[in-house]
PDB file of all heavy atoms in Angstrom:
ATOM      1  N   PRO A   1     153.724  82.787 144.486  1.00 95.00           N
ATOM      2  CA  PRO A   1     154.285  82.802 145.854  1.00 95.00           C
ATOM      3  C   PRO A   1     155.757  82.489 145.819  1.00 95.00           C
ATOM      4  O   PRO A   1     156.328  81.928 144.851  1.00 95.00           O
ATOM      5  CB  PRO A   1     153.485  81.699 146.599  1.00 95.00           C
ATOM      6  CG  PRO A   1     153.193  80.716 145.475  1.00 95.00           C
ATOM      7  CD  PRO A   1     152.906  81.493 144.273  1.00 95.00           C
ATOM      8  N   GLY A   2     156.445  82.826 146.923  1.00 93.00           N
ATOM      9  CA  GLY A   2     157.809  82.489 147.130  1.00 93.00           C
ATOM     10  C   GLY A   2     158.001  81.007 147.130  1.00 93.00           C
ATOM     11  O   GLY A   2     157.179  80.260 147.757  1.00 93.00           O
ATOM     12  N   HIS A   3     159.071  80.510 146.570  1.00 90.00           N
ATOM     13  CA  HIS A   3     159.304  79.050 146.552  1.00 90.00           C
ATOM     14  C   HIS A   3     160.751  78.752 146.150  1.00 90.00           C
ATOM     15  O   HIS A   3     161.504  79.658 145.659  1.00 90.00           O
ATOM     16  CB  HIS A   3     158.384  78.362 145.532  1.00 90.00           C
ATOM     17  CG  HIS A   3     158.565  78.827 144.110  1.00 90.00           C
ATOM     18  ND1 HIS A   3     157.842  79.929 143.582  1.00 90.00           N
ATOM     19  CD2 HIS A   3     159.422  78.351 143.175  1.00 90.00           C
ATOM     20  CE1 HIS A   3     158.258  80.101 142.348  1.00 90.00           C
ATOM     21  NE2 HIS A   3     159.132  79.122 142.055  1.00 90.00           N
ATOM     22  N   ASN A   4     161.150  77.546 146.351  1.00 88.00           N
ATOM     23  CA  ASN A   4     162.422  77.021 145.898  1.00 88.00           C
ATOM     24  C   ASN A   4     162.216  76.021 144.845  1.00 88.00           C
ATOM     25  O   ASN A   4     161.075  75.389 144.721  1.00 88.00           O
ATOM     26  CB  ASN A   4     163.211  76.424 147.081  1.00 88.00           C
ATOM     27  CG  ASN A   4     163.598  77.471 148.097  1.00 88.00           C
ATOM     28  OD1 ASN A   4     163.038  77.442 149.203  1.00 88.00           O
ATOM     29  ND2 ASN A   4     164.499  78.321 147.797  1.00 88.00           N
ATOM     30  N   ILE A   5     163.246  75.760 144.067  1.00 86.00           N
ATOM     31  CA  ILE A   5     163.090  74.719 142.932  1.00 86.00           C
ATOM     32  C   ILE A   5     164.092  73.590 143.226  1.00 86.00           C
ATOM     33  O   ILE A   5     165.268  73.832 143.563  1.00 86.00           O
ATOM     34  CB  ILE A   5     163.391  75.418 141.571  1.00 86.00           C
ATOM     35  CG1 ILE A   5     162.457  76.546 141.331  1.00 86.00           C
ATOM     36  CG2 ILE A   5     163.355  74.346 140.505  1.00 86.00           C
ATOM     37  CD1 ILE A   5     162.735  77.315 140.084  1.00 86.00           C
ATOM     38  N   GLY A   6     163.620  72.370 143.144  1.00 82.00           N
ATOM     39  CA  GLY A   6     164.410  71.183 143.348  1.00 82.00           C
ATOM     40  C   GLY A   6     164.168  70.177 142.285  1.00 82.00           C
ATOM     41  O   GLY A   6     163.361  70.395 141.349  1.00 82.00           O
ATOM     42  N   PHE A   7     164.835  69.026 142.380  1.00 72.00           N
ATOM     43  CA  PHE A   7     164.622  67.980 141.348  1.00 72.00           C
ATOM     44  C   PHE A   7     163.961  66.793 142.047  1.00 72.00           C
ATOM     45  O   PHE A   7     164.182  66.448 143.263  1.00 72.00           O
ATOM     46  CB  PHE A   7     165.974  67.481 140.856  1.00 72.00           C
ATOM     47  CG  PHE A   7     166.640  68.532 140.051  1.00 72.00           C
ATOM     48  CD1 PHE A   7     167.723  69.263 140.499  1.00 72.00           C
ATOM     49  CD2 PHE A   7     166.250  68.750 138.732  1.00 72.00           C
ATOM     50  CE1 PHE A   7     168.413  70.229 139.787  1.00 72.00           C
ATOM     51  CE2 PHE A   7     166.843  69.770 137.975  1.00 72.00           C
ATOM     52  CZ  PHE A   7     167.914  70.495 138.492  1.00 72.00           C
ATOM     53  N   VAL A   8     163.090  66.115 141.367  1.00 67.00           N
ATOM     54  CA  VAL A   8     162.233  65.074 141.828  1.00 67.00           C
ATOM     55  C   VAL A   8     162.443  63.749 140.972  1.00 67.00           C
ATOM     56  O   VAL A   8     162.429  63.798 139.751  1.00 67.00           O
ATOM     57  CB  VAL A   8     160.722  65.419 141.809  1.00 67.00           C
ATOM     58  CG1 VAL A   8     159.864  64.197 142.296  1.00 67.00           C
ATOM     59  CG2 VAL A   8     160.530  66.615 142.723  1.00 67.00           C
ATOM     60  N   GLY A   9     162.631  62.564 141.706  1.00 61.00           N
ATOM     61  CA  GLY A   9     162.724  61.285 141.001  1.00 61.00           C
ATOM     62  C   GLY A   9     163.946  61.115 140.200  1.00 61.00           C
ATOM     63  O   GLY A   9     164.829  61.956 140.105  1.00 61.00           O
ATOM     64  N   ASN A  10     163.977  59.930 139.555  1.00 64.00           N
ATOM     65  CA  ASN A  10     165.168  59.542 138.733  1.00 64.00           C
ATOM     66  C   ASN A  10     165.249  60.380 137.481  1.00 64.00           C
ATOM     67  O   ASN A  10     166.342  60.549 136.957  1.00 64.00           O
ATOM     68  CB  ASN A  10     165.061  58.068 138.312  1.00 64.00           C
ATOM     69  CG  ASN A  10     165.123  57.167 139.538  1.00 64.00           C
ATOM     70  OD1 ASN A  10     165.720  57.489 140.579  1.00 64.00           O
ATOM     71  ND2 ASN A  10     164.456  55.988 139.510  1.00 64.00           N
ATOM     72  N   SER A  11     164.129  60.954 137.009  1.00 57.00           N
ATOM     73  CA  SER A  11     164.162  61.773 135.838  1.00 57.00           C
ATOM     74  C   SER A  11     164.701  63.203 136.055  1.00 57.00           C
ATOM     75  O   SER A  11     164.865  63.956 135.149  1.00 57.00           O
ATOM     76  CB  SER A  11     162.735  61.855 135.246  1.00 57.00           C
ATOM     77  OG  SER A  11     161.842  62.546 136.137  1.00 57.00           O
ATOM     78  N   ARG A  12     164.956  63.416 137.376  1.00 60.00           N
ATOM     79  CA  ARG A  12     165.421  64.742 137.769  1.00 60.00           C
ATOM     80  C   ARG A  12     164.514  65.924 137.252  1.00 60.00           C
ATOM     81  O   ARG A  12     164.930  66.977 136.856  1.00 60.00           O
ATOM     82  CB  ARG A  12     166.832  64.966 137.209  1.00 60.00           C
ATOM     83  CG  ARG A  12     167.833  63.935 137.585  1.00 60.00           C
ATOM     84  CD  ARG A  12     168.087  63.916 139.049  1.00 60.00           C
ATOM     85  NE  ARG A  12     168.834  65.051 139.507  1.00 60.00           N
ATOM     86  CZ  ARG A  12     169.043  65.394 140.779  1.00 60.00           C
ATOM     87  NH1 ARG A  12     168.428  64.718 141.717  1.00 60.00           N
ATOM     88  NH2 ARG A  12     169.723  66.469 141.081  1.00 60.00           N
ATOM     89  N   ARG A  13     163.211  65.665 137.298  1.00 69.00           N
ATOM     90  CA  ARG A  13     162.209  66.666 136.928  1.00 69.00           C
ATOM     91  C   ARG A  13     162.192  67.818 138.003  1.00 69.00           C
ATOM     92  O   ARG A  13     162.137  67.493 139.204  1.00 69.00           O
ATOM     93  CB  ARG A  13     160.879  66.063 136.770  1.00 69.00           C
ATOM     94  CG  ARG A  13     159.777  67.059 136.464  1.00 69.00           C
ATOM     95  CD  ARG A  13     158.416  66.272 136.254  1.00 69.00           C
ATOM     96  NE  ARG A  13     158.058  65.530 137.479  1.00 69.00           N
ATOM     97  CZ  ARG A  13     157.464  65.957 138.547  1.00 69.00           C
ATOM     98  NH1 ARG A  13     157.069  67.238 138.526  1.00 69.00           N
ATOM     99  NH2 ARG A  13     157.161  65.195 139.520  1.00 69.00           N
ATOM    100  N   SER A  14     162.235  69.049 137.560  1.00 73.00           N
ATOM    101  CA  SER A  14     162.209  70.146 138.528  1.00 73.00           C
ATOM    102  C   SER A  14     160.767  70.300 139.160  1.00 73.00           C
ATOM    103  O   SER A  14     159.768  70.080 138.462  1.00 73.00           O
ATOM    104  CB  SER A  14     162.565  71.427 137.871  1.00 73.00           C
ATOM    105  OG  SER A  14     161.695  71.822 136.816  1.00 73.00           O
ATOM    106  N   ASP A  15     160.767  70.669 140.387  1.00 81.00           N
ATOM    107  CA  ASP A  15     159.490  70.882 141.083  1.00 81.00           C
ATOM    108  C   ASP A  15     159.686  71.937 142.115  1.00 81.00           C
ATOM    109  O   ASP A  15     160.798  72.336 142.499  1.00 81.00           O
ATOM    110  CB  ASP A  15     158.963  69.545 141.700  1.00 81.00           C
ATOM    111  CG  ASP A  15     157.454  69.558 141.884  1.00 81.00           C
ATOM    112  OD1 ASP A  15     156.815  70.600 141.609  1.00 81.00           O
ATOM    113  OD2 ASP A  15     156.939  68.598 142.428  1.00 81.00           O
ATOM    114  N   LEU A  16     158.499  72.427 142.727  1.00 86.00           N
ATOM    115  CA  LEU A  16     158.532  73.470 143.696  1.00 86.00           C
ATOM    116  C   LEU A  16     158.485  72.863 145.105  1.00 86.00           C
ATOM    117  O   LEU A  16     157.916  71.824 145.362  1.00 86.00           O
ATOM    118  CB  LEU A  16     157.328  74.397 143.533  1.00 86.00           C
ATOM    119  CG  LEU A  16     157.047  74.844 142.123  1.00 86.00           C
ATOM    120  CD1 LEU A  16     155.816  75.821 142.155  1.00 86.00           C
ATOM    121  CD2 LEU A  16     158.156  75.597 141.467  1.00 86.00           C
ATOM    122  N   TYR A  17     159.199  73.566 146.008  1.00 85.00           N
ATOM    123  CA  TYR A  17     159.051  73.182 147.453  1.00 85.00           C
ATOM    124  C   TYR A  17     159.302  74.505 148.279  1.00 85.00           C
ATOM    125  O   TYR A  17     159.658  75.482 147.766  1.00 85.00           O
ATOM    126  CB  TYR A  17     160.076  72.130 147.816  1.00 85.00           C
ATOM    127  CG  TYR A  17     161.505  72.526 147.823  1.00 85.00           C
ATOM    128  CD1 TYR A  17     162.159  72.889 148.983  1.00 85.00           C
ATOM    129  CD2 TYR A  17     162.271  72.566 146.659  1.00 85.00           C
ATOM    130  CE1 TYR A  17     163.486  73.185 149.016  1.00 85.00           C
ATOM    131  CE2 TYR A  17     163.556  72.903 146.680  1.00 85.00           C
ATOM    132  CZ  TYR A  17     164.196  73.248 147.857  1.00 85.00           C
ATOM    133  OH  TYR A  17     165.477  73.616 147.877  1.00 85.00           O
ATOM    134  N   ASN A  18     158.998  74.299 149.579  1.00 89.00           N
ATOM    135  CA  ASN A  18     159.126  75.501 150.472  1.00 89.00           C
ATOM    136  C   ASN A  18     158.238  76.644 150.002  1.00 89.00           C
ATOM    137  O   ASN A  18     158.623  77.844 149.957  1.00 89.00           O
ATOM    138  CB  ASN A  18     160.552  76.004 150.668  1.00 89.00           C
ATOM    139  CG  ASN A  18     161.368  75.089 151.516  1.00 89.00           C
ATOM    140  OD1 ASN A  18     160.777  74.217 152.228  1.00 89.00           O
ATOM    141  ND2 ASN A  18     162.687  75.170 151.457  1.00 89.00           N
ATOM    142  N   ILE A  19     157.033  76.310 149.561  1.00 91.00           N
ATOM    143  CA  ILE A  19     156.113  77.415 149.034  1.00 91.00           C
ATOM    144  C   ILE A  19     155.599  78.210 150.215  1.00 91.00           C
ATOM    145  O   ILE A  19     155.159  77.697 151.189  1.00 91.00           O
ATOM    146  CB  ILE A  19     154.924  76.705 148.248  1.00 91.00           C
ATOM    147  CG1 ILE A  19     155.454  75.870 147.135  1.00 91.00           C
ATOM    148  CG2 ILE A  19     153.928  77.714 147.844  1.00 91.00           C
ATOM    149  CD1 ILE A  19     154.433  74.993 146.454  1.00 91.00           C
ATOM    150  N   ASP A  20     155.743  79.539 150.031  1.00 92.00           N
ATOM    151  CA  ASP A  20     155.313  80.485 151.075  1.00 92.00           C
ATOM    152  C   ASP A  20     154.311  81.503 150.490  1.00 92.00           C
ATOM    153  O   ASP A  20     154.761  82.400 149.708  1.00 92.00           O
ATOM    154  CB  ASP A  20     156.551  81.192 151.589  1.00 92.00           C
ATOM    155  CG  ASP A  20     156.182  82.161 152.811  1.00 92.00           C
ATOM    156  OD1 ASP A  20     155.006  82.274 153.144  1.00 92.00           O
ATOM    157  OD2 ASP A  20     157.118  82.645 153.380  1.00 92.00           O
ATOM    158  N   PHE A  21     153.053  81.314 150.840  1.00 93.00           N
ATOM    159  CA  PHE A  21     152.012  82.215 150.271  1.00 93.00           C
ATOM    160  C   PHE A  21     152.070  83.668 150.838  1.00 93.00           C
ATOM    161  O   PHE A  21     151.350  84.502 150.311  1.00 93.00           O
ATOM    162  CB  PHE A  21     150.651  81.572 150.432  1.00 93.00           C
ATOM    163  CG  PHE A  21     150.429  80.304 149.672  1.00 93.00           C
ATOM    164  CD1 PHE A  21     150.321  79.103 150.280  1.00 93.00           C
ATOM    165  CD2 PHE A  21     150.328  80.337 148.248  1.00 93.00           C
ATOM    166  CE1 PHE A  21     150.161  77.962 149.574  1.00 93.00           C
ATOM    167  CE2 PHE A  21     150.112  79.169 147.487  1.00 93.00           C
ATOM    168  CZ  PHE A  21     150.057  77.948 148.198  1.00 93.00           C
ATOM    169  N   THR A  22     152.828  83.818 151.878  1.00 94.00           N
ATOM    170  CA  THR A  22     152.786  85.157 152.544  1.00 94.00           C
ATOM    171  C   THR A  22     153.811  86.016 151.883  1.00 94.00           C
ATOM    172  O   THR A  22     153.873  87.240 152.248  1.00 94.00           O
ATOM    173  CB  THR A  22     153.131  85.015 154.026  1.00 94.00           C
ATOM    174  OG1 THR A  22     154.436  84.487 154.149  1.00 94.00           O
ATOM    175  CG2 THR A  22     152.124  84.124 154.690  1.00 94.00           C
ATOM    176  N   ARG A  23     154.613  85.558 151.007  1.00 93.00           N
ATOM    177  CA  ARG A  23     155.564  86.455 150.266  1.00 93.00           C
ATOM    178  C   ARG A  23     155.521  86.106 148.802  1.00 93.00           C
ATOM    179  O   ARG A  23     155.182  84.945 148.403  1.00 93.00           O
ATOM    180  CB  ARG A  23     156.995  86.217 150.854  1.00 93.00           C
ATOM    181  CG  ARG A  23     157.581  84.814 150.639  1.00 93.00           C
ATOM    182  CD  ARG A  23     159.007  84.783 151.201  1.00 93.00           C
ATOM    183  NE  ARG A  23     159.577  83.418 151.024  1.00 93.00           N
ATOM    184  CZ  ARG A  23     160.236  83.045 149.961  1.00 93.00           C
ATOM    185  NH1 ARG A  23     160.454  83.903 148.922  1.00 93.00           N
ATOM    186  NH2 ARG A  23     160.732  81.792 149.831  1.00 93.00           N
ATOM    187  N   SER A  24     155.881  87.066 147.987  1.00 93.00           N
ATOM    188  CA  SER A  24     155.786  86.864 146.560  1.00 93.00           C
ATOM    189  C   SER A  24     157.108  86.288 146.037  1.00 93.00           C
ATOM    190  O   SER A  24     158.118  86.375 146.690  1.00 93.00           O
ATOM    191  CB  SER A  24     155.447  88.165 145.878  1.00 93.00           C
ATOM    192  OG  SER A  24     156.526  89.156 146.090  1.00 93.00           O
TER     193      SER A  24
END
């Protein structure tokens, strides 16, 4: 699905957000 990539926590680990299942 469509999504954005951001950083999470002090380790700056990348993660997904704004996940949209209606678009690829």
Side-chain angles (χ1 to χ4, degrees):
H3 61 270
N4 296 107
I5 301 175
F7 294 103
V8 177
N10 296 330
S11 63
R12 306 294 290 169
R13 176 178 57 85
S14 64
D15 202 359
L16 313 182
Y17 70 98
N18 287 344
I19 299 171
D20 186 356
F21 293 110
T22 64
R23 64 181 180 88
S24 63

